[in-house]
């Protein structure tokens, strides 16, 4: 598995696969072809189907130059390697093509060439099954975060500290940011109202309302192109910060414990990323919000003193109960159903934590198996439900 730096990427929303990945690819193309007269960028499959709403063309033009970049849209061509394909061409002043590169944005901001492993990212984790990592921990009397430290070195804590600062800043900006989100839906931001209302309620309702407001805050920041951390993606970036922010604020846990929780959640997300998918275009929303819920559930369970087994069960439950969830963003924007979905998944992660604690971690289906099922279920989903905005809510909304 790759470093957690690849999973937790700090960047601008609204989409890790449709905005961050294409932006990174464009930066590489520009570095290799600074003097091109024209760049022609052909977008395929899901990138072309929902790229406009996800600001794919905007991100690419920002890097390559508005005046010398042509975007060609081919939603009807779905590459077999991965649905998020793009071809970059550099043309000289006679419009002769002298450079061509086809690359895929495979989720969470990562890029891959056909038949090769993701670009510029060494494998640093030897184990990629949670059962094996659990055994590594058990035989040494260690916890999951210590396996992260073993593989990544001490420097990872500085990075996770930065990640936590960006996550907290996104929550705090979002709960204070009123107005309408960009895009044709004219969707009003909800986080500030949820936060204010929650503060007026009694303890039980308040907890739920605050968690909702924190998740809405980060997701709304993402939808408006604000700075967030992929956890594991932009579309699902509200779940982990909401849960951790709420727990830290209400229980006064130290930053150090939050970093260890982020490392624990990182293992959960990394396993899904390396052995299945964290791309809505490849495997539906179960791979984005479902994995985010699993990460947040594991993080919460660790913070509250869970065992290796209860952490594993919390993660498994977070993912299992999102299996089959489709990706059908209305108008190709990362807004409906994405924003509310983050709020619900944050609440569900806290429930999964409690449920796993009651069960003492005893359960039948291991997280590793659920990851395999998620991958297969994702591949069984028709492309209508994998970030093409042609089915589900996206289709119904268009027909209203
Ligand atoms: S529906 Fe889920 S997977 Fe699809 S864009 Fe929204 S958050 Fe991402």
């Amino acid at each position: 598995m790759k470093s957690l730096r690849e999973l937790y990427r700090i960047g601008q929303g609204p989409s890790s696969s449709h905005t961050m990945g294409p932006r990174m690819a464009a930066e590489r193309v520009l570095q290799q072809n600074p003097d091109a007269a024209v760049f022609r960028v052909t977008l395929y499959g899901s990138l072309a189907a929902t790229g406009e709403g996800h600001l794919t063309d905007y991100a690419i033009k920002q890097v390559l130059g508005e005046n010398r970049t042509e975007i060609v849209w081919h939603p009807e061509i779905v590459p077999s390697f991965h649905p998020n394909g793009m071809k970059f061409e550099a043309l000289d002043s006679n419009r002769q093509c002298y450079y061509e590169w086809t690359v895929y944005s495979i989720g969470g901001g990562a890029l891959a060439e056909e038949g090769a492993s993701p670009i510029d990212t060494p494998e640093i984790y030897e184990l990629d099954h949670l059962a094996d990592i659990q055994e590594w921990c058990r035989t040494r009397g260690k916890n999951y975060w210590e396996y992260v430290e073993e593989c990544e070195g001490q420097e990872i804590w500085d990075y996770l500290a930065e990640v936590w600062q960006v996550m907290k800043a996104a929550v705090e900006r979002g709960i204070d940011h009123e107005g309408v989100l960009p895009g044709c839906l004219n969707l009003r931001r909800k986080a500030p109202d949820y936060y204010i209302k929650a503060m007026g309620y009694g303890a039980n309702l308040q907890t739920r309302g605050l968690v909702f407001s924190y998740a809405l805050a980060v997701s709304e920041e993402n939808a408006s192109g604000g700075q967030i951390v992929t956890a594991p993606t932009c579309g699902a970036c509200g779940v982990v910060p909401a849960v951790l922010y709420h727990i830290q604020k209400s229980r006064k846990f130290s930053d150090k414990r939050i970093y260890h929780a982020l490392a624990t959640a990182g293992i959960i997300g990394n396993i899904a990323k390396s052995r299945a998918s964290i791309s809505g275009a490849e495997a539906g929303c179960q791979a984005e919000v479902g994995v985010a819920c699993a990460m947040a559930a594991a993080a919460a369970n660790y913070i509250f003193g869970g065992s290796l087994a209860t952490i594993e069960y919390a993660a498994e439950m977070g993912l299992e109960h999102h299996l089959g969830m489709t990706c059908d963003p209305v108008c190709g924007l990362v807004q409906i159903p994405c924003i509310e979905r983050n709020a619900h998944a944050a609440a569900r992660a806290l429930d999964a934590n409690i449920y796993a604690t009651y069960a003492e971690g005893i359960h039948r289906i291991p997280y590793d198996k659920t990851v395999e099922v998620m991958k297969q279920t994702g591949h069984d989903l028709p492309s209508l439900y994998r970030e093409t905005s042609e089915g589900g809510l996206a289709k119904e909304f268009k027909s209203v």
Side-chain angles (χ1 to χ4, degrees):
M1 300 195 297
K2 316 289 175 196
S3 168
L4 294 192
R5 290 176 173 82
E6 304 292 325
L7 184 77
Y8 293 126
R9 287 177 198 265
I10 297 169
Q12 315 292 127
S15 168
S16 41
S17 56
H18 286 55
T19 318
M20 279 189 192
R23 189 192 301 272
M24 252 172 54
E27 281 165 357
R28 182 174 157 138
V29 170
L30 182 65
Q31 206 178 28
Q32 293 177 8
N33 304 278
D35 301 323
V38 175
F39 289 106
R40 186 162 55 212
V41 185
T42 308
L43 302 174
Y44 299 104
S46 170
L47 275 187
T50 59
E52 211 178 332
H54 286 52
L55 307 182
T56 308
D57 50 338
Y58 174 76
I60 291 171
K61 283 180 177 175
Q62 248 193 344
V63 176
L64 298 180
E66 173 80 32
N67 296 330
R68 60 170 174 171
T69 307
E70 299 169 1
I71 306 282
V72 183
W73 307 84
H74 275 305
E76 76 287 1
I77 301 175
V78 182
S80 58
F81 176 67
H82 192 283
N84 287 337
M86 47 194 156
K87 182 170 78 180
F88 287 87
E89 293 168 286
L91 280 58
D92 64 20
S93 51
N94 296 319
R95 293 193 63 84
Q96 293 301 308
C97 175
Y98 64 91
Y99 168 93
E100 187 180 311
W101 182 44
T102 298
V103 65
Y104 300 84
S105 180
I106 59 170
L111 297 171
E113 290 167 345
E114 190 159 356
S117 64
I119 293 164
D120 297 328
T121 53
E123 303 278 341
I124 64 163
Y125 288 83
E126 197 184 321
L127 306 174
D128 66 356
H129 285 67
L130 194 56
D132 294 337
I133 297 171
Q134 198 172 343
E135 184 61 13
W136 183 94
C137 295
R138 197 187 60 73
T139 53
R140 291 165 179 78
K142 296 197 173 191
N143 214 323
Y144 293 116
W145 64 264
E146 289 170 288
Y147 183 61
V148 170
E149 188 177 79
E150 170 88 7
C151 299
E152 304 252 12
Q154 286 289 334
E155 313 80 63
I156 193 63
W157 303 121
D158 287 341
Y159 185 71
L160 292 180
E162 191 185 346
V163 160
W164 182 231
Q165 286 310 315
V166 175
M167 284 181 169
K168 278 200 299 188
V171 172
E172 286 161 10
R173 277 198 320 274
I175 53 176
D176 197 32
H177 199 155
E178 292 184 69
V180 176
L181 294 171
C184 60
L185 294 173
N186 292 327
L187 204 63
R188 188 154 185 86
R189 286 173 177 257
K190 293 190 189 126
D193 293 348
Y194 273 59
Y195 180 73
I196 297 292
K197 281 183 190 163
M199 294 307 279
Y201 286 137
N204 246 345
L205 272 179
Q206 185 175 85
T207 295
R208 202 41 67 100
L210 287 175
V211 173
F212 286 158
S213 75
Y214 301 149
L216 293 171
V218 179
S219 295
E220 287 170 356
E221 282 299 294
N222 176 64
S224 58
Q227 191 184 42
I228 50 83
V229 181
T230 59
T233 63
C234 288
C237 68
V239 183
V240 170
V243 167
L244 293 182
Y245 190 86
H246 171 67
I247 291 174
Q248 187 177 46
K249 225 174 164 201
S250 59
R251 311 291 173 104
K252 311 278 181 265
F253 284 112
S254 69
D255 279 348
K256 192 169 152 195
R257 199 151 177 90
I258 297 290
Y259 307 156
H260 291 174
L262 282 169
T264 305
I267 286 189
I268 300 301
N270 236 359
I271 289 170
K273 182 180 178 182
S274 75
R275 296 196 30 245
S277 173
I278 54 165
S279 161
E282 192 181 8
C285 197
Q286 53 168 3
E288 294 202 15
V289 170
V291 171
C293 183
M295 292 168 67
N301 198 270
Y302 157 75
I303 289 190
F304 287 119
S307 66
L308 294 173
T310 57
I311 292 169
E312 189 264 349
Y313 188 19
E316 192 279 326
M317 214 174 320
L319 183 57
E320 180 182 326
H321 301 302
H322 284 94
L323 286 176
M325 192 161 69
T326 55
C327 169
D328 50 359
V330 172
C331 298
L333 297 166
V334 191
Q335 298 183 7
I336 299 175
C338 321
I339 294 173
E340 280 184 357
R341 194 166 276 181
N342 276 257
H344 285 279
R348 190 177 269 192
L350 289 169
D351 287 344
N353 158 51
I354 294 168
Y355 196 98
T357 304
Y358 272 111
E360 297 174 352
I362 299 167
H363 66 124
R364 291 285 180 91
I365 302 172
Y367 179 72
D368 290 321
K369 178 55 72 182
T370 308
V371 167
E372 282 171 27
V373 171
M374 184 267 278
K375 181 179 184 181
Q376 187 57 51
T377 306
H379 289 178
D380 291 343
L381 281 176
S383 67
L384 294 176
Y385 303 112
R386 289 190 275 120
E387 212 163 347
T388 55
S389 288
E390 287 173 355
L393 292 170
K395 184 177 167 211
E396 288 308 310
F397 192 83
K398 273 187 215 158
S399 68
V400 170

